[in-house]
Amino acid sequence: MALHDLVGLLELNLAGNSIISLDDGIFRNLISLEILNFENNQLLDVPTENLMHTKNLRSLDLSRNLIEFVRNDSFESLKHLSALKITGNVINELDQRAFDGLLELRTLNLADNNLTLVRVDY
């Protein structure tokens, strides 16, 4: 696995490729990763299973992919995430608790999607 020994890696930029999906556990050893950029790929879903290994992630860019839906558990392991950019996808719906647990989130950008309704749950 190409990323296996990169335990000290802080930033990974995979922008502008044709990534559709990721092998399970590809980020398992990237314990120091703080910045991850998937901009301009062809992801159909938030790569939740792989993101669970990036517990120190501070910034995540999933812009300009083909993501349609953000589930409740999509970002649950990213407790230290402060910036999330999901612009230019085809998101038409967010689960009501899609961003629960992101207590350190300071920037959320959902521009240029297909959202028709944003619910508030009290």
Side-chain angles (χ1 to χ4, degrees):
M1 197 172 341
L3 304 175
H4 184 266
D5 290 334
L6 303 179
V7 295
L9 189 68
L10 295 175
E11 181 174 351
L12 178 58
N13 189 338
L14 295 167
N17 287 288
S18 298
I19 298 170
I20 298 169
S21 64
L22 302 163
D23 287 345
D24 288 341
I26 192 154
F27 300 141
R28 185 176 321 267
N29 293 333
L30 301 184
I31 56 176
S32 300
L33 194 64
E34 294 182 4
I35 301 169
L36 181 55
N37 186 346
F38 275 114
E39 182 181 7
N40 196 23
N41 278 285
Q42 297 176 18
L43 292 174
L44 301 174
D45 294 304
V46 175
T48 305
E49 292 300 316
N50 284 294
L51 292 176
M52 68 187 290
H53 300 291
T54 59
K55 302 212 185 286
N56 289 313
L57 204 61
R58 305 275 191 254
S59 176
L60 176 61
D61 190 342
L62 294 167
S63 296
R64 296 185 356 207
N65 277 279
L66 301 171
I67 298 169
E68 293 182 43
F69 185 72
V70 179
R71 296 183 316 269
N72 285 339
D73 64 346
S74 293
F75 306 105
E76 72 180 355
S77 64
L78 304 179
K79 304 297 183 199
H80 301 293
L81 196 68
S82 61
L84 177 57
K85 187 175 179 186
I86 321 176
T87 64
N89 279 280
V90 291
I91 298 171
N92 55 29
E93 188 176 350
L94 302 168
D95 265 349
Q96 281 189 309
R97 300 185 191 283
F99 306 110
D100 276 9
L102 297 179
L103 301 178
E104 294 185 25
L105 195 65
R106 300 294 175 254
T107 303
L108 174 61
N109 192 337
L110 292 165
D112 196 24
N113 277 287
N114 295 332
L115 289 170
T116 57
L117 173 66
V118 177
R119 293 182 212 148
V120 177
D121 185 30
Y122 293 103

